[in-house]
Structures are given as C-alpha cells and as structure tokens.
Amino acid sequence: MDFVIGAVAASGAVLVSNPMDVLKTRMQLQGELKARGHYAIIYKNIVHAAFAVAKADGIVGLQKGLVPAVGYQIVMNGIRFGLYQKILDSGIITRDDGSVSTLGCIFAGVSVGVVGGFVGSPLYL
C-alpha cells in the first residue's frame, strides 16, 4: 500500500511542477546551437515563456513530457516508500524495547533512496 501512496503523491506533485520544468528546459536551450550573441532571445522571462509556449503549443504544451515524468516518480518514489515500510515492518531496525534505531533509519533511508534512484534513473534520462 505504501508503494501506491508514494506513487500517487509523487504523481500529484509532478502534475504541478512539470510546467516549470518544461519552461526551464526551453529557456536553457534557446539558442543552444548558435554562437554566443548570434541567436534571438525567444523567452525573456518565465512568465513570457509560459505565454509563448501556451500560444504556440496550447495549454497542453506546458505539460510536455508528463508521461515519462509521472512514470519516473511512480517507480522512484513508489520503490522508496514501499521498501522503507517493508524494512520497518521487518523489525530489522527496531530495538528490543520497540523503538526504532536512528542510525538504522538513516541507513534504511539511504539504501532505499539509492535503489529507487538506480531503478528510476532510465526514466529520468
């Protein structure tokens, strides 16, 4: 269940943040193939870029690349939340008195973060 909760939460976040990524990438790449000072500045600022993209590609143009972005979040965060809960449920990082070891939590968090990042990396690229 934690896999699903993590995946849904991350997918909701990417729905809001994806337009900013689209605009950031477009602004970074304007004039990329031309010599410095020999290209036209298409996007003056983030607001201008948003209006220009919406005008040229429609409002849907602000969500380009949404499918791989959601896929990446589902895989990466689903794995992170799901595996972390499995480690907690297994009792590996739980002390005899029922409390959870701080160092165990840190190690578990780092471990599942590495696994999630490794598995999700192809979708991010």
Side-chain angles (χ1 to χ4, degrees), residues 76 79-81 83-84 107-119:
M76 186 185 71
I79 287 173
R80 287 179 12 193
F81 283 102
L83 286 179
Y84 188 77
F107 181 73
V110 167
S111 300
V112 299
V114 167
V115 171
F118 180 77
V119 174

Side-chain angles (χ1 to χ4, degrees), residues 53-101:
V53 169
K55 184 178 179 183
D57 298 337
I59 225 57
V60 178
L62 292 170
Q63 287 289 6
K64 286 194 175 184
L66 184 63
V67 173
V70 169
Y72 167 69
Q73 294 297 330
I74 287 171
V75 170
M76 186 185 71
N77 287 308
I79 287 173
R80 287 179 12 193
F81 283 102
L83 286 179
Y84 188 77
Q85 190 60 46
K86 292 284 184 203
I87 291 171
L88 283 177
D89 294 344
S90 72
I92 295 172
I93 59 175
T94 306
R95 295 188 185 113
D96 293 334
D97 64 356
S99 64
V100 180
S101 164

Side-chain angles (χ1 to χ4, degrees), residues 6-8 12-13 20 23 33 35 41-42 46 58 66 68 75 83 89 94 98 104 111 114 123 125:
V8 169
M20 291 300 138
L23 297 173
L33 299 177
I41 296 177
I42 301 167
I46 195 93
L66 184 63
V75 170
L83 286 179
D89 294 344
T94 306
S111 300
V114 167
L123 289 170
L125 297 174

